[in-house]
Amino acid sequence: MIPPRLALVAVLAAVATGLVWAGSSAAGSGEGEAGATQAPAQITPTRVDGVRLGMRHAVLRERGLVGPIRPGCELAGPNTRSARLRAPLRGGVDYSQSSPRRVRSIAVTKGARARGIGIGAKIPRILSRFPNATVDHSTDEVFQLTLVQTPERPSGGRITFGVSTQTKRTTIIGVPFIAFC
C-alpha cells in the first residue's frame, strides 16, 4: 500500500509533467495565443455575443463580459451608469437608471459582426445584407455619422450602424441604438 502523502506527490508530478508537455507541444506547433484566430462575436437585434438587452450588470460582471460599472453620460441624467465590454469585444454598455442596473444599449467598436457586416463596412454592403434597412442622414452635420437602421423586430430590438461621413465606413454598431454623448 502507498502512503497517502506519496500518492499525492505522484499525482502532482504527473499533472505538472502533463502541463509542461502540453505547453511545449503548443509552442512547437506554432498554434500559440498569437497565432490563434478567433471568429468575431455575433451581433443580433437583442444581443452582442453573451451580452443581452435587459441583463443585469452583476450577471455580466460575474461572467467576465464587462468591466466595472462607472458613471455614464451626464447628458442622459444624473444617475446614469455604463461599463466597458471585455476582450475580444471593444465598446460599451449603457445601463438603466433604476436598480438593479439592466442593459439598455450596447455599442461595439471592434470584434463583432452582424450577418458578416462589421466595423469598416460601407453603406452598400450593409444594405445588401439588410435590404429593409433605412439610411438616416439627420446626424451627418452634428455628429459626422450617417445612421443605417434595421427595422425593429416584433420581439424587440434592432441594429444601428454608424457610418462616418468622412471615411464612408462603419465606425460603431449599436444594439438597439447608438447613444450619442
Side-chain angles (χ1 to χ4, degrees):
M1 181 166 164
I2 300 174
R5 180 170 258 166
L6 185 58
L8 177 64
V9 170
V11 169
L12 290 176
V15 169
T17 305
L19 290 176
V20 170
W21 179 80
S24 66
S25 67
S29 67
E31 292 182 12
E33 272 186 44
T37 57
Q38 242 181 355
Q42 182 84 18
I43 298 176
T44 70
T46 57
R47 69 175 176 84
V48 175
D49 205 18
V51 182
R52 293 181 184 272
L53 295 176
M55 285 183 83
R56 293 177 313 166
H57 171 74
V59 173
L60 295 172
R61 184 83 169 130
E62 185 179 285
R63 294 180 184 173
L65 298 173
V66 297
I69 198 165
R70 59 192 181 141
C73 176
E74 301 85 21
L75 299 175
N79 198 20
T80 57
R81 297 288 181 260
S82 66
R84 288 187 181 153
L85 291 169
R86 289 275 175 102
L89 298 173
R90 196 177 293 169
V93 174
D94 290 326
Y95 294 106
S96 63
Q97 293 186 357
S98 61
S99 183
R101 301 289 182 162
R102 293 188 180 272
V103 176
R104 284 188 52 232
S105 69
I106 307 163
V108 177
T109 57
K110 186 177 180 182
R113 294 180 180 211
R115 292 189 193 171
I117 305 295
I119 302 301
K122 293 187 174 187
I123 291 177
R125 179 128 191 265
I126 296 169
L127 293 176
S128 71
R129 294 298 211 141
F130 297 93
N132 295 329
T134 58
V135 180
D136 179 9
H137 292 282
S138 66
T139 56
D140 286 1
E141 289 183 27
V142 177
F143 297 109
Q144 303 291 306
L145 210 62
T146 300
L147 300 179
V148 181
Q149 293 184 322
T150 63
E152 192 165 351
R153 306 287 181 199
S155 60
R158 72 171 15 161
I159 301 172
T160 304
F161 297 89
V163 181
S164 170
T165 57
Q166 297 167 353
T167 63
K168 310 289 189 221
R169 295 189 178 272
T170 303
T171 57
I172 187 168
I173 303 172
V175 175
F177 55 85
I178 297 172
F180 290 104
C181 186

